Amino acid sequence: MQDLVNIFVKSIFVDNMVFAYFLGMCSYLAVSKTVKTSVGLGAAVIFVLIITVPVDYLMNQYLLAPGALVWLGAEYASVDLSFLSFIMFIAIIASMVQLVEMIVEKFSPSLYASLGIFLPLIAVNCAILGGSLFMQQREYQSIAEATAFGLGSGIGWFLAIVAIAAIREKIRYSNVPAPLRGLGITFVITGIMGLAFMTFMGIKL
Amino acid sequence: MAANEREPLFSPKNLKLITNPINVDNPITKQVLGICSALAVTVKLEPAIVMSISVLAVMAFGNLIISLMRNGIPSRIRIIVQLVVIAALVILVDQVLKAYAYDVSKQLSVFVGLIITNCIIMGRFEAFAMANKPWPSFLDGLGNAFGYAWILIAVAFFRELFGSGALMGYQIIPDSFYDMGYVNNGLVILPPMALFAVAAIIWVQRSRNKELIED
């Protein structure tokens, strides 16, 4: 249980997707103009990460990793399909996003309306694929750990985009040098926020 | 008419496809695409160069393939088709890197895989390759990859020079400097510094080219 909490807290603060690895920067910069839309996108990212990371974990464990096909019979023990992981992961992410979109549309039209165009965009958000690839690289031991990691990184991303959106709403009233307006100042702010988040790095969990 | 249809391979219009993305229409500083990987691999020059070459290969051939298939792709499932094309190319690149440049491939870790979701590639597929002939698409891919590459290499150059006093792993700043009390700037190696560096590039570029300024 303690391990799970560790992984969860670590993936929110220490290994924050945006500030430590720059994942999902494209949508982070493009959709962070108002707090309202960024909350929607952040929620959608959390949602998709909780689903795709465990599914990709099972995929990796029983299909792709070296020796994963052992359940088919002893003669498959030497098969290593890990070179296929990119294509499998992205296919799972794309189809999961499609599935989630259909389910949400069917059962919760209000949530669907508020997430709007963000759901399909998530398929190409690097934070999602990055989550699965980090999960594979760090070799989590159980599906619970993978889920904790997925949830934690989703929440970390959510925090980052909501924070930057709030700052960008305020900065509209500031006198930023003209060439830095928009993109430039957002980079600088993200950098400063990243420095702030680095203080968590010393925490040993 | 028949004579006019065959324009030369490097007509001015085609050359613009290469030169535009390098400066005024740069994928990173103007179109805001492909930033994730641009920032993460720029601590040292070598991974940045390898990453640029990988993106260049995926980009140019991906654009070419999508452009060849553009009339056969149903628009409803085009995202999946594009993802499969990119993923297949990225697997090729990844396997080549693992075979011939294992150390760099370890340093790049997940970021080779993340070329798949690099928005530059999807963005150019959507914006250009789906609507243009193969050759211009190929050039557009090259141009955008060059635009991406020079920012990556510029950022990596400064970060490695000031962060570890070396370039490509060879020490550049002489020992006598260190004896006189020069110290490597540890801040430059930290992730946030990449953001400041790109912001500086944007600042310079936009103050030289006023029409890029956002209101």
Side-chain angles (χ1 to χ4, degrees):
Chain A
M1 191 59 211
Q2 208 190 346
D3 284 350
L4 294 185
V5 177
N6 282 353
I7 290 176
F8 178 68
V9 174
K10 201 162 178 266
S11 52
I12 296 181
F13 294 109
V14 183
D15 292 335
N16 187 288
M17 280 280 187
V18 174
F19 298 124
Y21 297 104
F22 308 115
L23 294 182
M25 281 300 263
C26 313
S27 30
Y28 169 87
L29 292 169
V31 190
S32 61
K33 292 209 172 82
T34 61
V35 173
K36 200 160 169 269
T37 48
S38 59
V39 168
L41 184 68
V45 165
I46 298 180
F47 200 51
V48 175
L49 265 175
I50 304 178
I51 297 171
T52 54
V53 174
V55 172
D56 281 346
Y57 175 82
L58 291 177
M59 209 58 171
N60 188 42
Q61 208 68 0
Y62 294 106
L63 209 59
L64 298 171
L69 285 170
V70 109
W71 54 273
L72 272 178
E75 68 268 33
Y76 293 100
S78 60
V79 179
D80 179 3
L81 291 179
S82 50
F83 71 94
L84 283 178
S85 43
F86 294 156
I87 210 161
M88 286 305 278
F89 286 176
I90 197 71
I92 287 175
I93 289 168
S95 47
M96 275 299 151
V97 169
Q98 195 85 57
L99 199 67
V100 166
E101 194 184 349
M102 275 150 52
I103 293 173
V104 171
E105 189 178 10
K106 175 91 180 140
F107 291 106
S108 173
S110 61
L111 180 64
Y112 182 76
S114 62
L115 292 181
I117 53 155
F118 299 131
L119 268 179
L121 274 183
I122 284 177
V124 288
N125 187 328
C126 2
I128 311 283
L129 183 65
S132 290
L133 291 175
F134 274 127
M135 176 273 299
Q136 188 190 31
Q137 200 187 40
R138 291 178 190 162
E139 296 173 345
Y140 287 118
Q141 297 304 317
S142 68
I143 189 166
E145 287 187 13
T147 318
F149 168 71
L151 178 63
S153 17
I155 292 177
W157 202 87
F158 176 88
L159 283 180
I161 193 170
V162 173
I164 190 81
I167 294 177
R168 281 182 83 172
E169 279 191 358
K170 293 286 175 221
I171 212 154
R172 219 170 291 151
Y173 306 107
S174 313
N175 188 13
V176 178
L180 266 181
R181 260 176 224 157
L183 192 58
I185 197 71
T186 316
F187 270 100
V188 174
I189 296 168
T190 312
I192 295 170
M193 287 165 74
L195 282 178
F197 260 74
M198 290 196 68
T199 52
F200 291 113
M201 267 189 183
I203 300 174
K204 283 275 177 291
L205 287 172
Chain B
M1 278 308 284
N4 286 342
E5 276 170 19
R6 276 196 66 83
E7 54 177 319
L9 282 182
F10 289 101
S11 63
K13 200 174 109 225
N14 282 347
L15 272 184
K16 259 206 138 43
L17 291 174
I18 294 192
T19 53
N20 255 355
I22 292 178
N23 187 15
V24 288
D25 202 18
N26 188 285
I28 292 183
T29 60
K30 179 72 207 324
Q31 305 174 44
V32 203
L33 296 174
I35 292 164
C36 330
S37 54
L39 301 172
V41 299
T42 50
V43 177
K44 293 216 179 318
L45 198 53
E46 195 184 0
I49 291 176
V50 173
M51 185 73 183
S52 308
I53 296 172
S54 314
V55 170
L56 182 83
V58 175
M59 186 89 196
F61 289 104
N63 252 359
L64 183 68
I65 293 171
I66 288 290
S67 170
L68 285 171
M69 303 199 315
R70 69 185 187 281
N71 295 325
I73 303 177
S75 69
R76 288 181 67 92
I77 58 159
R78 64 180 195 285
I79 304 267
I80 308 253
V81 174
Q82 290 166 356
L83 282 175
V84 169
V85 170
I86 308 172
L89 286 167
V90 171
I91 290 178
L92 281 180
V93 167
D94 184 47
Q95 296 293 319
V96 170
L97 283 184
K98 277 195 179 133
Y100 294 103
Y102 190 73
D103 294 339
V104 182
S105 134
K106 270 275 163 275
Q107 279 179 44
L108 289 174
S109 76
V110 299
F111 290 99
V112 180
L114 287 173
I115 297 178
I116 297 175
T117 48
N118 192 324
C119 357
I120 292 189
I121 297 180
M122 287 295 270
R124 292 326 291 173
F125 281 9
E126 280 287 300
F128 200 89
M130 289 298 281
N132 285 283
K133 292 211 176 92
W135 176 246
S137 304
F138 184 75
L139 291 180
D140 180 75
L142 279 184
N144 276 285
F146 283 136
Y148 172 84
W150 85 256
I151 298 233
L152 230 69
I153 290 171
V155 173
F157 178 83
F158 286 110
R159 285 183 79 189
E160 188 170 6
L161 185 61
F162 293 115
S164 30
L167 286 176
M168 301 290 288
Y170 297 104
Q171 192 176 342
I172 293 290
I173 297 183
D175 281 331
S176 53
F177 273 48
Y178 290 102
D179 295 340
M180 278 151 57
Y182 176 83
V183 185
N184 282 332
N185 188 347
L187 187 68
V188 182
I189 299 186
L190 300 179
M193 212 43 210
L195 290 160
F196 296 134
V198 175
I201 292 179
I202 292 174
W203 196 348
V204 172
Q205 192 189 22
R206 293 198 178 174
S207 43
R208 289 168 57 107
N209 199 336
K210 297 281 185 228
E211 69 215 53
L212 293 179
I213 293 174
E214 295 173 42
D215 46 79

